[in-house]
Amino acid sequence: MLLANHSNIILECGTDEAGRGCLAGPVTAAAVILPKNFKNIILNDSKQLSERKRDILKPIIEAQALTFAVAHVFQEEIDIINILNASILAMHKSIKQLEPQPEFIIVDGNRFKPFKDIPFETIIKGDGKYLSIAAASVLAKTSRDLYMNKIHEEFPMYNWKQNKGYPTKEHRRAIKEFGITKYHRKTFRLLPEELQPNT
């Protein structure tokens, strides 16, 4: 059972991102403040949940959260500032939208930059420990998946509806065959050595 809060502070926000390891599309973050009495036996790290369970949880989290927000940082900016900075920026953007603002921030992972003067703590595998981070991971994942499904319609040959932009063999074969799109992260290693085109 995941813990409700990390601290005794009422306005504690959890934040997490999705899409960091993808070859295409944005990195997406969410921030969530849950009420102290929030409970859900299904909620867990989004990577441990089926798509169906994530889709069930999304409206529950949105209805019961004190406040929540989601933000994308797109591939053009990722290529300029790098994926770590883009991930943190997406978290900052999502936290900035919260109303009320949090008094404490808990972050999945081990890297973060101060947001305003709000105290924070990074927690490795936090999305499997605290409900607010798990909720943020679900909202980030479902929001990003919806976006990738939408751009799939524009470039169906990459099958983003299925792979969501991750470096699957199918995705990389499509890059080799069709080249890259405006949605690809150009600073990422899009093709491994064995698929590099002959020069």
Side-chain angles (χ1 to χ4, degrees):
M1 187 79 178
L2 275 62
L3 299 174
N5 271 38
H6 174 265
S7 67
N8 291 320
I9 295 168
I10 292 172
L11 294 178
E12 179 182 273
C13 146
T15 186
D16 196 7
E17 50 72 27
R20 189 166 165 173
C22 294
L23 303 181
V27 62
T28 303
V32 181
I33 300 177
L34 294 172
K36 279 277 196 185
N37 61 353
F38 180 88
K39 287 184 177 62
N40 189 291
I41 57 169
I42 304 173
L43 182 57
N44 200 344
D45 166 15
S46 65
K47 295 185 289 296
Q48 305 298 322
L49 300 170
S50 65
E51 184 176 0
R52 181 176 166 274
K53 283 184 177 175
R54 290 194 298 265
D55 289 342
I56 290 168
L57 285 164
K58 180 178 184 284
I60 294 171
I61 294 163
E62 291 176 346
Q64 295 187 27
L66 295 177
T67 181
F68 70 90
V70 178
H72 300 296
V73 171
F74 290 95
Q75 58 283 345
E76 299 89 351
E77 193 157 10
I78 293 170
D79 284 337
I80 293 168
I81 65 173
N82 80 42
I83 189 60
L84 174 62
N85 287 324
S87 299
I88 294 170
L89 176 61
M91 291 183 199
H92 281 198
K93 283 183 161 189
S94 63
I95 296 166
K96 188 177 182 181
Q97 296 176 65
L98 297 179
E99 188 55 53
Q101 283 282 280
E103 299 167 325
F104 193 77
I105 301 165
I106 53 175
V107 184
D108 183 57
N110 62 356
R111 303 291 290 277
F112 194 64
K113 294 176 184 174
F115 177 77
K116 298 183 178 176
D117 56 354
I118 302 170
F120 69 88
E121 186 165 339
T122 57
I123 301 166
I124 294 169
K125 299 192 187 311
D127 48 6
K129 295 174 183 173
Y130 295 100
L131 287 166
S132 61
I133 302 181
S137 79
V138 168
L139 295 189
K141 173 69 175 155
T142 52
S143 177
R144 188 180 185 281
D145 283 358
L146 283 170
Y147 178 84
M148 296 306 293
N149 291 348
K150 183 176 153 194
I151 64 171
H152 166 88
E153 305 302 323
E154 196 177 344
F155 293 100
M157 65 282 278
Y158 299 92
N159 201 15
W160 290 331
K161 194 168 186 179
Q162 185 69 38
N163 62 53
K164 309 304 185 208
Y166 281 92
T168 61
K169 287 180 181 176
E170 173 193 45
H171 187 186
R172 284 183 149 150
R173 277 197 301 268
I175 292 170
K176 182 170 171 58
E177 184 175 351
F178 301 107
I180 62 171
T181 68
K182 60 187 177 182
Y183 298 112
H184 281 98
R185 301 174 184 177
K186 297 175 181 60
T187 53
F188 277 47
R189 189 173 182 180
L190 300 176
L191 292 174
E193 291 298 329
E194 62 271 20
L195 286 179
Q196 289 290 344
N198 295 322
T199 52

